[in-house]
Amino acid sequence: MRHDGSVTLFQYWNRLRGNRPAPRRTEVEPAEIKSLLADTFILEKDARSEAVFRLAGTRLCATFGKELKGLSFASLWAGRDQTVVGKLARSVFDMKSVVVLTFDGKNKADDRASFELLLLPLEGGMESPRAMGSLLACEKPFWLGAEALVDCEVTSLRLIDADREPVLLKNRPAVEVPPLVPERRSITDSLIEPGQGRRFRHLVVFDGGRNV
C-alpha cells in the first residue's frame, strides 16, 4: 500500500478481526476512523450478487460528482475494467479477500490523477455480505473535488495476505495490468485474434464473465 490512509484503515480492520477472516459489521465504530470517513465507503451484495454502495463519504462523492449510495460499485469503471472490478468485489464478499488496486481517473478536460483503492471484507451476519474500503488520491491536483471523474482505468491490482505483518505490505509488488495492445509480438501472439485476448508474460488472458 502506498497511501498512509490505506495502511491506517487496514490496521484498524486487522485489529478488529483478530484471528477471524473478517470482523463483524457491527464492530466497526466510525468515531475510531473519523479522519478517514470522508474517503471511506461500505458496499453490500445485492440480489444479483453485485456490489453496490450502501454508504459513501462526502469527499468520495465529490470526486465522482454524484451521490454514490445505491450505485453499482463496478459502474465507476468501464469495459474490461468494470468486469475485473466486479469480480474482485465478489471475491471480497465470498472469499474474504483483501484487495488493493490503483487506477487513473480523468475529468472531462482529460486531466488525470492517480488513486489507491482498498477493499476489506466484513461479516454481515444474517444480512447480505458487506465490505468496507477507502478510495484515496495519491496526489491532489487543484481540480480534484471540483471537477468530477468521468473515466477510470485500472493500472495495478493485488490480493493481500491479511495474516502477514502490515509493515511488509508497502514492499509487496503489485501486478500491473497489461496494455490493450502489446508492444512486441511473439509467435503465440499471431494465434490470438484481434480483441480476443492479451498477453501477460508467458500467458494469454481472455476476457470473460458476465457484463451487467
Side-chain angles (χ1 to χ4, degrees):
M1 302 177 195
R2 296 190 297 169
H3 202 291
D4 289 342
S6 300
V7 175
T8 298
L9 185 63
F10 175 85
Q11 290 174 335
Y12 173 70
W13 172 89
N14 201 40
R15 177 172 60 82
L16 288 181
R17 76 181 182 99
N19 295 324
R20 300 167 295 171
R24 294 189 300 274
R25 177 191 62 81
T26 54
E27 293 178 282
V28 177
E29 292 290 345
E32 295 183 5
I33 51 172
K34 59 182 180 181
S35 64
L36 298 173
L37 289 180
D39 301 298
T40 58
F41 56 88
I42 298 289
L43 302 178
E44 65 179 349
K45 189 177 184 180
D46 68 6
R48 300 175 303 165
S49 297
E50 302 297 333
V52 297
F53 284 99
R54 183 173 178 85
L55 296 170
T58 54
R59 187 156 44 228
L60 182 53
C61 292
T63 296
F64 289 93
K66 55 189 173 185
E67 174 58 56
L68 297 179
K69 183 178 180 180
L71 191 69
S72 166
F73 175 63
S75 69
L76 300 182
W77 290 264
R80 171 167 45 206
D81 285 352
Q82 186 174 112
T83 301
V84 170
V85 171
K87 289 181 178 179
L88 288 172
R90 286 192 290 274
S91 77
V92 176
F93 289 142
D94 301 335
M95 307 296 293
K96 298 297 183 284
S97 302
V98 175
V99 173
V100 177
L101 67 84
T102 60
F103 68 92
D104 287 339
K106 66 178 182 180
N107 60 20
K108 288 183 178 179
D110 207 30
D111 299 314
R112 291 177 175 265
S114 180
F115 297 84
E116 181 170 79
L117 186 145
L118 172 66
L119 284 176
L120 301 162
L122 296 173
E123 291 286 359
M126 299 298 293
E127 301 175 325
S128 61
R130 303 281 175 87
M132 68 183 298
S134 60
L135 193 156
L136 297 151
C138 298
E139 68 276 340
K140 295 183 179 179
F142 70 92
W143 54 267
L144 189 61
E147 299 181 27
L149 300 185
V150 297
D151 189 28
C152 297
E153 180 181 353
V154 176
T155 53
S156 71
L157 59 90
R158 72 192 78 176
L159 297 178
I160 297 297
D161 181 355
D163 292 321
R164 294 178 65 90
E165 286 295 327
V167 70
L168 299 177
L169 297 179
K170 289 188 176 182
N171 300 321
R172 188 184 179 99
V175 176
E176 294 184 359
V177 176
L180 294 176
V181 180
E183 296 180 358
R184 294 181 294 181
R185 296 181 61 83
S186 67
I187 294 175
T188 55
D189 287 332
S190 64
L191 301 177
I192 306 173
E193 296 180 7
Q196 296 299 309
R198 51 178 172 165
R199 289 190 55 78
F200 181 58
R201 298 180 180 171
H202 64 289
L203 303 175
V204 177
V205 180
F206 292 90
D207 292 329
R210 179 180 59 167
N211 291 322
V212 177

